[in-house]
Short mmCIF file of all heavy atoms in Angstrom, two decimals:
data_model
loop_
_atom_site.label_atom_id
_atom_site.label_comp_id
_atom_site.label_asym_id
_atom_site.label_seq_id
_atom_site.Cartn_x
_atom_site.Cartn_y
_atom_site.Cartn_z
N GLN A 1 83.69 96.29 121.40
CA GLN A 1 84.02 96.96 120.10
C GLN A 1 85.44 97.46 119.94
O GLN A 1 86.08 97.22 118.89
CB GLN A 1 83.16 98.19 119.94
CG GLN A 1 81.61 97.91 119.91
CD GLN A 1 81.02 97.97 121.30
OE1 GLN A 1 81.65 97.74 122.24
NE2 GLN A 1 79.71 98.21 121.18
N THR A 2 86.03 97.91 121.09
CA THR A 2 87.47 98.26 121.06
C THR A 2 88.32 97.04 120.85
O THR A 2 89.27 97.07 120.02
CB THR A 2 87.82 99.01 122.37
OG1 THR A 2 86.98 100.12 122.56
CG2 THR A 2 89.29 99.37 122.43
N ALA A 3 88.07 95.88 121.57
CA ALA A 3 88.93 94.78 121.39
C ALA A 3 88.77 94.10 119.98
O ALA A 3 89.73 93.81 119.35
CB ALA A 3 88.56 93.73 122.44
N ALA A 4 87.50 94.25 119.51
CA ALA A 4 87.25 93.69 118.14
C ALA A 4 88.05 94.51 117.03
O ALA A 4 88.66 93.95 116.13
CB ALA A 4 85.75 93.68 117.74
N TRP A 5 88.02 95.84 117.26
CA TRP A 5 88.73 96.68 116.24
C TRP A 5 90.14 96.35 116.26
O TRP A 5 90.86 96.17 115.28
CB TRP A 5 88.45 98.14 116.58
CG TRP A 5 88.99 99.01 115.52
CD1 TRP A 5 90.26 99.52 115.37
CD2 TRP A 5 88.38 99.45 114.22
NE1 TRP A 5 90.44 100.17 114.25
CE2 TRP A 5 89.31 100.17 113.46
CE3 TRP A 5 87.16 99.20 113.69
CZ2 TRP A 5 88.99 100.69 112.32
CZ3 TRP A 5 86.82 99.76 112.55
CH2 TRP A 5 87.68 100.49 111.81
N LEU A 6 90.73 96.23 117.46
CA LEU A 6 92.27 96.06 117.50
C LEU A 6 92.63 94.63 117.12
O LEU A 6 93.62 94.39 116.54
CB LEU A 6 92.73 96.36 118.98
CG LEU A 6 92.76 97.80 119.39
CD1 LEU A 6 93.04 97.93 120.92
CD2 LEU A 6 93.72 98.58 118.58
N THR A 7 91.80 93.60 117.38
CA THR A 7 92.22 92.28 117.13
C THR A 7 91.72 91.77 115.71
O THR A 7 92.44 91.19 114.92
CB THR A 7 91.68 91.29 118.08
OG1 THR A 7 90.26 91.40 118.19
CG2 THR A 7 92.30 91.57 119.49
N ASP A 8 90.44 92.25 115.38
CA ASP A 8 89.90 91.57 114.11
C ASP A 8 90.28 92.51 112.95
O ASP A 8 90.56 92.01 111.80
CB ASP A 8 88.41 91.47 114.23
CG ASP A 8 87.97 90.56 115.28
OD1 ASP A 8 88.79 89.62 115.66
OD2 ASP A 8 86.80 90.50 115.82
N ARG A 9 90.23 93.80 113.10
CA ARG A 9 90.46 94.73 112.03
C ARG A 9 92.01 94.97 111.85
O ARG A 9 92.45 94.88 110.59
CB ARG A 9 89.79 96.10 112.22
CG ARG A 9 88.36 96.01 112.47
CD ARG A 9 87.79 96.23 111.13
NE ARG A 9 86.21 96.18 111.30
CZ ARG A 9 85.36 97.05 110.81
NH1 ARG A 9 85.81 98.03 109.96
NH2 ARG A 9 84.14 96.95 110.96
N ILE A 10 92.69 95.28 112.83
CA ILE A 10 94.17 95.51 112.70
C ILE A 10 94.94 94.17 112.78
O ILE A 10 95.96 94.08 112.04
CB ILE A 10 94.63 96.57 113.66
CG1 ILE A 10 93.82 97.92 113.50
CG2 ILE A 10 96.14 96.76 113.71
CD1 ILE A 10 94.10 98.98 114.45
N GLY A 11 94.51 93.36 113.57
CA GLY A 11 95.21 92.00 113.72
C GLY A 11 96.35 92.09 114.54
O GLY A 11 96.65 93.00 115.34
N GLY A 12 97.21 90.95 114.50
CA GLY A 12 98.38 90.77 115.29
C GLY A 12 99.40 91.88 114.98
O GLY A 12 99.51 92.35 113.85
N ARG A 13 100.22 92.19 116.05
CA ARG A 13 101.19 93.26 115.90
C ARG A 13 102.57 92.95 116.51
O ARG A 13 102.65 92.66 117.67
CB ARG A 13 100.68 94.55 116.59
CG ARG A 13 99.33 95.03 115.98
CD ARG A 13 98.67 96.03 116.85
NE ARG A 13 98.24 95.54 118.18
CZ ARG A 13 97.18 94.88 118.44
NH1 ARG A 13 96.40 94.53 117.43
NH2 ARG A 13 96.79 94.50 119.70
N MET A 14 103.44 92.70 115.61
CA MET A 14 104.84 92.61 116.11
C MET A 14 105.53 93.95 116.40
O MET A 14 104.94 94.92 115.94
CB MET A 14 105.68 91.91 114.98
CG MET A 14 105.25 90.51 114.77
SD MET A 14 106.36 89.81 113.49
CE MET A 14 106.43 88.10 113.99
N THR A 15 106.52 93.95 117.24
CA THR A 15 107.03 95.22 117.63
C THR A 15 107.53 96.01 116.47
O THR A 15 108.22 95.40 115.56
CB THR A 15 108.26 94.87 118.57
OG1 THR A 15 107.83 94.15 119.66
CG2 THR A 15 108.92 96.19 119.02
N ASN A 16 107.27 97.28 116.34
CA ASN A 16 107.57 98.20 115.30
C ASN A 16 107.10 97.74 113.86
O ASN A 16 107.61 98.16 112.90
CB ASN A 16 109.11 98.35 115.24
CG ASN A 16 109.61 99.27 116.34
OD1 ASN A 16 108.92 100.06 116.80
ND2 ASN A 16 110.79 99.10 116.72
N SER A 17 106.02 96.93 113.85
CA SER A 17 105.44 96.56 112.58
C SER A 17 104.47 97.65 112.08
O SER A 17 104.08 98.50 112.87
CB SER A 17 104.75 95.23 112.61
OG SER A 17 103.60 95.42 113.46
N PRO A 18 104.07 97.67 110.85
CA PRO A 18 103.20 98.60 110.35
C PRO A 18 101.81 98.46 111.17
O PRO A 18 101.14 99.43 111.40
CB PRO A 18 102.98 98.24 108.85
CG PRO A 18 104.25 97.61 108.46
CD PRO A 18 104.73 96.92 109.75
N GLN A 19 101.39 97.21 111.51
CA GLN A 19 100.26 96.96 112.23
C GLN A 19 100.21 97.58 113.63
O GLN A 19 99.31 98.09 114.13
CB GLN A 19 99.99 95.50 112.33
CG GLN A 19 99.64 94.80 111.03
CD GLN A 19 100.86 94.27 110.27
OE1 GLN A 19 101.99 94.62 110.73
NE2 GLN A 19 100.67 93.71 109.12
N MET A 20 101.45 97.50 114.26
CA MET A 20 101.66 98.20 115.55
C MET A 20 101.45 99.69 115.43
O MET A 20 100.87 100.29 116.22
CB MET A 20 103.01 97.91 116.16
CG MET A 20 103.21 98.44 117.50
SD MET A 20 104.96 98.18 118.09
CE MET A 20 105.26 99.85 118.76
N ARG A 21 102.03 100.27 114.40
CA ARG A 21 101.87 101.71 114.18
C ARG A 21 100.39 102.11 113.87
O ARG A 21 99.90 103.07 114.36
CB ARG A 21 102.81 102.18 113.11
CG ARG A 21 104.24 101.96 113.28
CD ARG A 21 104.68 102.85 114.41
NE ARG A 21 106.13 102.52 114.79
CZ ARG A 21 106.60 102.46 115.92
NH1 ARG A 21 105.80 102.71 117.02
NH2 ARG A 21 107.85 102.14 116.17
N GLN A 22 99.71 101.21 113.16
CA GLN A 22 98.26 101.43 112.90
C GLN A 22 97.50 101.38 114.18
O GLN A 22 96.64 102.26 114.44
CB GLN A 22 97.84 100.50 111.81
CG GLN A 22 96.36 100.72 111.38
CD GLN A 22 95.89 99.67 110.48
OE1 GLN A 22 96.49 98.65 110.09
NE2 GLN A 22 94.58 99.79 109.97
N ALA A 23 97.69 100.41 114.97
CA ALA A 23 97.02 100.21 116.19
C ALA A 23 97.34 101.39 117.20
O ALA A 23 96.52 101.89 117.84
CB ALA A 23 97.34 98.94 116.88
N GLU A 24 98.57 101.82 117.17
CA GLU A 24 99.00 102.96 118.03
C GLU A 24 98.23 104.25 117.56
O GLU A 24 97.75 104.93 118.40
CB GLU A 24 100.53 103.14 117.83
CG GLU A 24 101.13 104.20 118.69
CD GLU A 24 102.63 104.16 118.48
OE1 GLU A 24 103.07 104.90 117.47
OE2 GLU A 24 103.30 103.47 119.21
N ALA A 25 98.26 104.53 116.35
CA ALA A 25 97.45 105.70 115.79
C ALA A 25 95.95 105.63 116.09
O ALA A 25 95.37 106.64 116.51
CB ALA A 25 97.73 105.90 114.26
N TRP A 26 95.44 104.39 115.91
CA TRP A 26 93.97 104.31 116.14
C TRP A 26 93.67 104.47 117.68
O TRP A 26 92.71 105.20 117.93
CB TRP A 26 93.46 102.93 115.73
CG TRP A 26 92.06 102.70 116.04
CD1 TRP A 26 91.00 103.09 115.13
CD2 TRP A 26 91.43 102.23 117.13
NE1 TRP A 26 89.77 102.80 115.77
CE2 TRP A 26 90.04 102.24 116.93
CE3 TRP A 26 91.90 101.65 118.30
CZ2 TRP A 26 89.13 101.71 117.93
CZ3 TRP A 26 90.98 101.20 119.31
CH2 TRP A 26 89.71 101.17 119.10
#
C-alpha cells in the first residue's frame, strides 16, 4: 500500500519537484 501510494498516486519525482515535496510531506 505504501509503495502503491508513492508510485501510483504521487508518481515520478524529480529532485525539488512538486511531486517530491508531496511525497516528502506524505
